[in-house]
Amino acid sequence: MTSAPANDAGKEPSAPEAGSLSRAGDLFQLLRDGQARTRAELALTTGLARSTVASRIDALISSGLVGPAGEASSSGGRPPSRFAFNPAARVVLAVDVGATHVIVAVTDLGGKILAEQRLKQDVSDGPDIVLGRVIAAGKELLAEAGREMGDLAGMGIGLPGPVEHDTGRPVKPPIMPGWDGFDVVPYVQRSLPVPVLVDNDVNIMALGERTAYWPEHENFLFIKVATGIGAGIISSGELQRGANGTAGDLGHVRVPRGDEVLCRCGNYGCLEALASGPAVARQLHELGLDASTGADVLRLVGEGNLQAIQALRQAGRDVGDVLATVVNLLNPSMIVIGGSVGEAGEHLVAGIREVVYRRSLPLATTHLRIGISMAGDRAAILGASQMVTQYVLSPAVIEATLQATG
């Protein structure tokens, strides 16, 4: 196994209908909500014979994915045992590769972070150096968490550029020299022989943020504002990647006021060239302020510098100009602003709200909320973990795992 099918990873998990539970992997989906159930309760829910349920539960218990969860009340005789999903059975390596950082974490199957390393690393140093550090950190973290290689269910990686999700290959990423077409999956699997899934970092940030904090919103946007600008789109509960994995690339949508501003992609007037962290820093530097990065912008804003506050607010208006169109097209109920600039920029979010609520159709904004990321700089880690978990706990993969170990 290498990469999950694009139609599976990022899809909202749902319990199978009664009567469709032909395998232990299907029955397991009923237990993924964490609620403890008895064999009798499972038989009643599924319509399967108790003997069938018992054999499938026994197989799941043998795998460690299901464990005892106390006893139910008895109406006479021995109390029946209850069973529930055991998220500690296996672990996942979750990786967030940014423009200038790498975060590697070990999580359980419920997304709980067990160990974590944060590294300063430029993605422009190339895949051999970056992935070499990722693999080394992953092995160290497994040991730190007290887990063995056999406990590793899979690895999820977020990259700061377009990714062909079926293969895990970056596709002409603008800030990742040497990465175009690189076979990330087989490179990693030479050292870590487990399923490896790779996606754009904003996609997994959307998946992580929504799963952890906004599960009730099935139409959800995550907007990352940092060195670059992008969007993760969840529609009807499913992550949308588009035909070639470039869905949500807001950073290169043209903004009217940017006609004279050249973007690193070669076009003029791109949103990223006006509203990203480095772009705002450049504008402030031209005004004579000490600013070269998004962190410098936030520092100046924190110091109460009016020019920095006004520049960040205008960046928000520029993002809002693009999002107003997106809101009319996709009609989300929740937009979360994240990334190193977005999650710390209340003035940025104020500018976004100002334009979106003014420019979008009234019906599209009736129930729309716009807020700052609650997951913060762990959104991508949570999403990478969730991406792998959704794949390895799918009915087909569970069934294949049980057959291989049975």
Side-chain angles (χ1 to χ4, degrees), residues 238-264:
E238 296 186 19
L239 185 59
Q240 305 298 315
R241 297 183 174 90
N244 299 307
T246 65
D249 194 358
L250 296 184
H252 300 286
V253 174
R254 183 174 175 272
V255 178
R257 79 176 187 93
D259 286 344
E260 305 301 320
V261 181
L262 179 65
C263 180
R264 60 187 171 187

Side-chain angles (χ1 to χ4, degrees), residues 306-326:
L306 289 179
Q307 291 173 307
I309 290 172
Q310 289 172 347
L312 195 58
R313 182 74 173 246
Q314 180 57 50
R317 294 188 187 103
D318 291 333
V319 174
D321 265 329
V322 174
L323 283 183
T325 300
V326 174

Side-chain angles (χ1 to χ4, degrees), residues 60-73:
L60 291 168
I61 290 173
S62 297
S63 73
L65 290 169
V66 169
E71 296 178 335
S73 58

